[in-house]
Amino acid sequence: MNITKSISLFQEAQKLLPGGVDSPVRAFRAVGGQPLFIECGKGPYLFDVDGNRYIDYVLSWGPLITGHAHPNVVKAIQDAAVKGTSYGAPSPLEVDLAKRVMEFMPNIEMIRFVNSGTEATMSALRLARAYTKRDKIIKFDGCYHGHADMLLVQAGSGVITLGLPDSPGVPKDTVKDTLVADFNNLDSVEALFRKYPEQIAAIIVEPVAGNMGVVPPLPGFLEGLRRITEREGAILIFDEVMTGFRVHKGGAQALYQVKPDLTTLGKVIGGGLPVGAYGGKKEIMQMVAPAGPMYQAGTLSGNPLAMSAGIAALDLIQNQGVWDEMEARSRQLDAGIESAAKKAGVPITQTRVGTMRTLFFSETKPIDWNTVKLADKVRFGKFFQKMLENGVYLAPSQFEAGFISIMHDGPVIDATIAAVEQAFKTW
Ligand SMILES: *Cc1c(COP(=O)(O)O)cnc(C)c1O
């Protein structure tokens, strides 16, 4: 594989951008080697600057459920661009996307668009604190909710991969109200409520954890969080920035039939442009300025290009048939990987919910960060490099989710399975 141009670009980039990248997980630090510089994407494929083609299972870390450069999404962005790229005033597109999101997630009664998942979770927590007049929040070990100061505590893959349990620069006082419980462990949550009665404003959770690799909720876990928060007068926030329109057409809240008070969204709802959103019960959302006193604002929020891309993307995943097809392709991939591993005698555990998946090099079923971290990172690194050589682009860490799109058809999946078999053959 010739990556000469990527190598020289990376050398230059490292002089200009910290670590040569604009987001740490892109740097391939967990798997060795160096990042590839991308020339373009088309459907299920990424093309690097040296002309190599890869089947893409990263899909911009989740957003691209319609694949790269889907003609409908591209046209929506082009049509919007000629009408102006930002107004700083309301446009009909915001009303349109709001209605569509609510069709997918009827539990959301009002919504506020922002520009990233980080902004969404940060704002939702401010809102929960404003509403309950309490300061403390609970998050789970291994869950990531963006890089806001108060949330950079035991925060999943990106941070773990770098071996930073916390980040320097986060003041102690900022995280003193952030309590950490174990994913899939209701006792650890109960213990915190016992210790801090009437002080906990909210629980924020990835209903299917995706930022320590995919870890599904055990039966009863989400229901338990709902029961506990209701009893304690705390707000339940589902961070569906990744799971929203990934695990099910209606997100994890539809799949598991548990209704959170607030939901945060991002990734898929922007169709590949920068968007986030938070929404939920009207009574709570009415506290957001200017309807209420909880201040939150954004120069580019509700941006017409981003709204248009989001509308086009949601249009493309509107029909159940699309979801049935993605489920069939996912099963095909599950089975292919399972049988390749068996044949080669490689111990693996696959987790998958809808279009999110992780292949753990571990025999232990992952249920929380403690079980996740048993996976063999060195083996993953080798596997990652071989898959890259075989034309398949995986997330460059054992502790990440992989994604498919509506463009990952049968032959693309077959080609992926062949690459896996090839990688395991030389094991
Ligand atoms: C990606 C992600 C975020 C952060 O979103 P950004 O747009 O990267 O700020 C927050 N929560 C979850 C669950 C995510 O997967």
Side-chain angles (χ1 to χ4, degrees):
M1 197 169 77
N2 174 13
I3 57 162
T4 324
K5 286 186 187 161
S6 275
I7 290 171
S8 86
L9 274 165
F10 190 48
Q11 278 165 1
E12 195 180 359
Q14 281 175 292
K15 288 178 206 143
L16 304 168
L17 313 166
V21 292
D22 277 313
S23 192
V25 282
R26 295 178 193 168
F28 281 29
R29 293 257 169 120
V31 290
Q34 71 139 68
L36 300 168
F37 281 66
I38 303 306
E39 176 70 28
C40 64
K42 185 84 197 135
Y45 301 111
L46 266 184
F47 296 83
D48 69 17
V49 287
D50 291 286
N52 302 300
R53 188 187 81 172
Y54 308 91
I55 302 171
D56 186 10
Y57 286 92
V58 180
L59 296 170
S60 191
W61 301 85
L64 302 180
I65 200 165
T66 62
H68 291 275
H70 191 289
N72 296 21
V73 177
V74 172
K75 179 160 193 316
I77 297 169
Q78 285 171 334
D79 289 351
V82 286
K83 293 163 81 177
T85 54
S86 184
Y87 312 129
S91 86
L93 297 164
E94 295 157 70
V95 178
D96 190 347
L97 186 57
K99 282 201 254 180
R100 281 168 208 258
V101 170
M102 288 170 195
E103 258 170 52
F104 280 78
M105 279 185 179
N107 191 42
I108 297 181
E109 297 167 357
M110 285 188 122
I111 193 165
R112 164 65 59 86
F113 290 110
V114 292
N115 304 292
S116 69
T118 295
E119 259 188 85
T121 57
M122 194 179 79
S123 311
L125 283 168
R126 184 181 304 146
L127 178 57
R129 284 167 158 164
Y131 184 79
T132 58
K133 302 191 179 70
R134 300 175 181 178
D135 285 344
K136 295 196 185 302
I137 56 163
I138 296 178
K139 78 174 284 289
F140 293 92
D141 194 2
C143 283
Y144 177 69
H145 304 291
H147 65 88
D149 278 355
M150 65 190 165
L151 289 165
L152 276 186
V153 184
Q154 296 173 31
S157 57
V159 187
I160 289 158
T161 299
L162 289 172
L164 307 171
D166 274 321
S167 170
V170 174
K172 277 201 197 75
D173 277 359
T174 317
V175 291
K176 78 174 197 313
D177 289 322
T178 305
L179 310 170
V180 181
D182 291 328
F183 194 72
N184 275 328
N185 182 340
L186 290 174
D187 289 343
S188 69
V189 176
E190 291 281 20
L192 290 172
F193 276 101
R194 269 196 306 275
K195 192 164 175 199
Y196 302 102
E198 290 177 38
Q199 294 172 61
I200 297 169
I203 294 180
I204 186 165
V205 64
E206 290 181 75
V208 176
N211 285 288
M212 50 175 155
V214 173
V215 179
L218 291 173
F221 176 61
L222 299 175
E223 293 83 349
L225 296 181
R226 182 64 286 184
R227 200 175 54 243
I228 294 168
T229 42
E230 246 160 34
R231 189 190 70 210
E232 302 287 338
I235 301 291
L236 180 60
I237 305 173
F238 275 7
D239 181 358
E240 298 228 44
V241 169
M242 187 186 289
T243 54
F245 321 133
R246 268 275 167 210
V247 298
H248 181 278
K249 199 181 147 183
Q253 49 199 274
L255 182 60
Y256 299 103
Q257 293 289 310
V258 176
K259 292 183 178 165
D261 301 300
L262 295 175
T263 301
T264 53
L265 293 166
K267 299 192 169 120
V268 164
I269 64 159
L273 268 68
V275 180
Y278 61 103
K281 289 194 177 139
K282 197 172 197 159
E283 190 195 333
I284 306 174
M285 290 302 291
Q286 287 281 12
M287 281 201 82
V288 179
M294 198 285 298
Y295 194 73
Q296 185 272 308
T299 302
L300 294 174
S301 293
N303 176 265
L305 300 194
M307 297 291 107
S308 300
I311 291 164
L314 292 193
D315 246 3
L316 287 161
I317 55 167
Q318 182 68 45
N319 291 331
Q320 187 53 40
V322 171
W323 290 89
D324 296 342
E325 179 61 21
M326 286 195 286
E327 182 62 27
R329 298 289 71 85
S330 296
R331 292 210 172 132
Q332 182 188 346
L333 188 53
D334 293 344
I337 294 173
E338 201 64 50
S339 103
K342 222 176 236 137
K343 240 187 272 169
V346 181
I348 61 158
T349 302
Q350 295 195 79
T351 54
R352 177 175 73 81
V353 184
T355 66
M356 281 167 57
R357 58 169 54 248
T358 298
L359 194 178
F360 287 101
F361 287 90
S362 169
E363 278 168 303
T364 312
K365 181 183 162 190
I367 56 162
D368 58 10
W369 173 238
N370 282 321
T371 41
V372 159
K373 71 182 176 200
L374 299 174
D376 191 332
K377 287 181 285 190
V378 177
R379 280 205 150 174
F380 176 82
K382 275 207 290 192
F383 177 69
F384 171 86
Q385 297 296 353
K386 283 187 181 158
M387 290 299 283
L388 206 58
E389 281 164 31
N390 297 337
V392 178
Y393 189 86
L394 303 175
S397 161
Q398 169 69 95
F399 308 115
E400 296 289 353
F403 306 96
I404 67 159
S405 74
I406 60 173
M407 306 307 280
H408 286 63
D409 59 11
V412 167
I413 301 293
D414 279 338
T416 307
I417 295 168
V420 173
E421 284 170 351
Q422 184 65 32
F424 284 166
K425 213 176 260 169
T426 48
W427 201 249

